[in-house]
Amino acid sequence: MDHLKDLLVSGLDSLKLELTETQVEKLMSYLTLLQKWNKVYNLTAIRDPEEMLIKHLLDSLAVVNHIQGERLIDVGTGGGLPGIPLAICYPDKQIDLLDSNSKKTRFLIQAKAELGLTNTQVIHSRVEEYKPEPLYDGVISRAFAAMEDMLFWTHHLIPIGGVWWAMKGQKEFEDLSSLPDKIPGLVNIEEVIELHVPNLDAERILVKGIKQSEYQS
């Protein structure tokens, strides 16, 4: 376990994230919970703890310094990625977790309790059926869906001026130039940020889109 903690601390240093010892311990506890529950609940196909730390934890932490807004929702969060690491790093922000899979939300409720996360709520719902009040400042997702589908399914969660944050691997990254034709006026893709994930030999990007208007079906 010391080896994994050293790997995490080294990764945080590489990402220029200054966390307290308590936050580091919570991230390690979350990793332990993910490993434990994964044996029964099949939260992720990754079984090796070191690989899990790099491909899940550090991958999620790579976006921390780019995310803005006080109320965010992680859609299709699965085992809580990136939402739980974000909630640990940003205790003053509200980071909610939504998933339609009841096994995964049971795990999330347990993780929230064991980690003492008071700044998150777990929502068991299909995204298109969830009607938040008030709306969120931003929606984030990690490998949840194609960009067009993400925008279509989540547009009702944020107001005009709200932000979509889509975490993508380069190999799955789609051409965004056709979005204006498919969903006219809905989104302005403001930025495509290249991410560096420590110890991961793969490209990652974060797509930032601003909601321009209400969706017209």
Side-chain angles (χ1 to χ4, degrees):
M1 203 63 178
D2 286 345
H3 161 66
L4 290 177
K5 185 175 179 181
D6 289 345
L7 193 62
L8 174 60
V9 170
S10 170
L12 291 170
D13 186 55
S14 178
L15 292 168
K16 296 180 170 54
L17 289 177
E18 295 183 11
L19 301 187
T20 65
E21 182 62 25
T22 299
Q23 287 171 309
V24 172
E25 290 300 335
K26 281 189 179 184
L27 288 169
M28 291 304 299
S29 297
Y30 170 58
L31 183 65
T32 301
L33 283 170
L34 201 56
Q35 289 172 241
K36 176 183 170 185
W37 282 64
N38 197 40
K39 294 170 184 172
V40 178
Y41 276 49
N42 198 28
L43 301 168
T44 167
I46 297 173
R47 295 287 187 267
D48 177 69
E50 183 173 315
E51 198 178 355
M52 204 179 271
L53 187 146
I54 294 167
K55 292 186 176 178
H56 286 330
L57 262 193
L58 292 179
D59 188 73
S60 295
L61 292 166
V63 306
V64 169
N65 282 331
H66 301 286
I67 300 300
Q68 298 144 359
E70 298 306 309
R71 294 186 71 251
L72 303 170
I73 183 166
D74 177 8
V75 171
T77 186
L81 298 155
I84 287 181
L86 285 174
I88 291 170
C89 291
Y90 283 126
D92 296 331
K93 295 182 188 289
Q94 180 72 22
I95 314 280
D96 290 345
L97 310 168
L98 182 144
D99 205 280
S100 61
N101 183 303
S102 58
K103 281 187 176 181
K104 289 174 179 173
T105 52
R106 278 201 292 275
F107 164 72
L108 295 171
I109 289 166
Q110 185 66 25
K112 168 183 159 69
E114 290 201 28
L115 298 170
L117 296 178
T118 58
N119 61 328
T120 185
Q121 64 171 329
V122 178
I123 301 144
H124 176 221
S125 173
R126 291 173 60 85
V127 63
E128 58 268 34
E129 294 170 359
Y130 178 52
K131 306 289 190 256
E133 186 60 47
L135 298 177
Y136 292 93
D137 299 324
V139 170
I140 188 165
S141 76
R142 179 175 179 262
F144 168 61
M147 197 71 193
E148 181 186 355
D149 292 335
M150 178 189 174
L151 299 175
F152 177 72
W153 287 332
T154 65
H155 66 88
H156 62 289
L157 302 178
I158 55 176
I160 292 172
V163 183
W164 283 285
W165 306 94
M167 299 170 65
K168 301 277 185 183
Q170 288 280 32
K171 68 179 186 298
E172 65 181 352
F173 184 59
E174 68 264 30
D175 179 14
L176 299 177
S177 61
S178 61
L179 283 178
D181 297 326
K182 294 177 178 176
I183 36 178
L186 179 64
V187 63
N188 172 41
I189 302 299
E190 186 174 88
E191 199 173 0
V192 177
I193 303 162
E194 290 190 20
L195 300 172
H196 164 66
V197 180
N199 300 296
L200 182 65
D201 185 22
E203 294 179 313
R204 293 285 188 270
I205 56 175
L206 179 65
V207 182
K208 178 184 181 182
I210 309 294
K211 184 173 176 180
Q212 300 285 92
S213 65
E214 297 301 340
Y215 177 73
Q216 303 296 323
S217 57

